[in-house]
Amino acid sequence: MKISQYLQRIGLKDIKGISIETLSQLQMQHMLHIPFENLDVMHNVPIPLDVETYYNKIVLNQRGGFCYELNGLFNWLLQGLGFNNHLIAGTVRTPKGTWAKEGSHAAQIVQLDQPYLVDVGFGDSTRMPLPLTGKPQEDVSGVYRAEKIEESIFDLQRKGNDAEWNTLLRFDITPKKLMDFEEACHFNQTSPDSHFTNKELITIATSDGRITLSGDTLVVTHNGEKQEKTVHNSERATVLERYFGIHLKES
C-alpha cells in the first residue's frame, strides 16, 4: 500500500504539514473522489475487516465502499501521514426517527489543536472536520454541530429548513480498533434488517451538491435543486461509470 497512490486517487500530489487546513483538504478531496456504495453487499461479495483489501478495492480498482471500508482506509492514510487519530463507533439516527444498530457506524476522531470528528463514510454529511465544541459549521451540504450529550458521547446534528437541529449520528469518542466492528460489519452486509441489504446505494459529493443512485432512481443535486430520473437496467453500467467512476466487470 502506497500513500502516494492513495493521494493520487483523491486528486492530490502531496500534502503540506499536519494541520487543520491539510486535514480539511484531505477530507474534502476524499468525499469528492470516492463514493459511498454498497454494491459488494448487494452482490454478496464478502467485506472483511482488512485495510489492504480496502486499498486494493478503493485505490487500485477505483471503487467506493461503506463506512468500515472508507473510514478504515482513511484512518490508515491519516496515521501514515503523521496525524493523531483513532476510529470511533456511532449509532445512526434514521430519517424515520429510529436508531440503527447500536455502535454499528465507524467514524474517527483526529486530534490537532482540539479533537475533530472526521467521517468520510456517512454519505450526505459534513465535508469538513467538525470540532466537538457545539459551534455550528457550514459547508455546501448544510450547517452542522457536534453537541455533547454526556461524557465522551456526542450527537452529530444538522440544522433543518425549520431551523431545528436534527440528530444524524450519536457517537462515542472512545478509541476503537477496526476488528471491534466485526459483529456490526457482518450484520450490515447480511441482515435483512440492515439498510444496506435492501437496495443498491451509490452516492458522491460534488462541488455544489451531490449525486445519488438509490435503486433505479438517480438524483442529481446542484445548488439545492434536485433533478431525478429513472435508470433502466440497460443504462446502469453507463451511469455507474459516468457519475461515480465505477466499472463493474459483471454488472
Side-chain angles (χ1 to χ4, degrees), residues 99-159:
W99 294 98
K101 182 177 175 60
E102 184 176 358
S104 61
H105 178 70
Q108 57 193 302
I109 294 294
V110 181
Q111 180 70 46
L112 288 166
D113 59 309
Q114 59 184 309
Y116 292 87
L117 172 68
V118 174
D119 192 345
V120 296
F122 196 74
D124 188 15
S125 185
T126 177
R127 305 178 180 198
M128 300 166 60
L130 188 66
L132 307 185
T133 59
K135 182 179 178 180
Q137 179 172 280
E138 184 175 8
D139 63 42
V140 171
S141 61
V143 182
Y144 300 87
R145 70 181 183 185
E147 190 76 358
K148 188 171 184 178
I149 303 302
E150 56 185 84
E151 191 63 33
S152 84
I153 307 295
F154 295 79
D155 278 358
L156 168 63
Q157 299 180 333
R158 178 164 56 200
K159 184 177 287 189

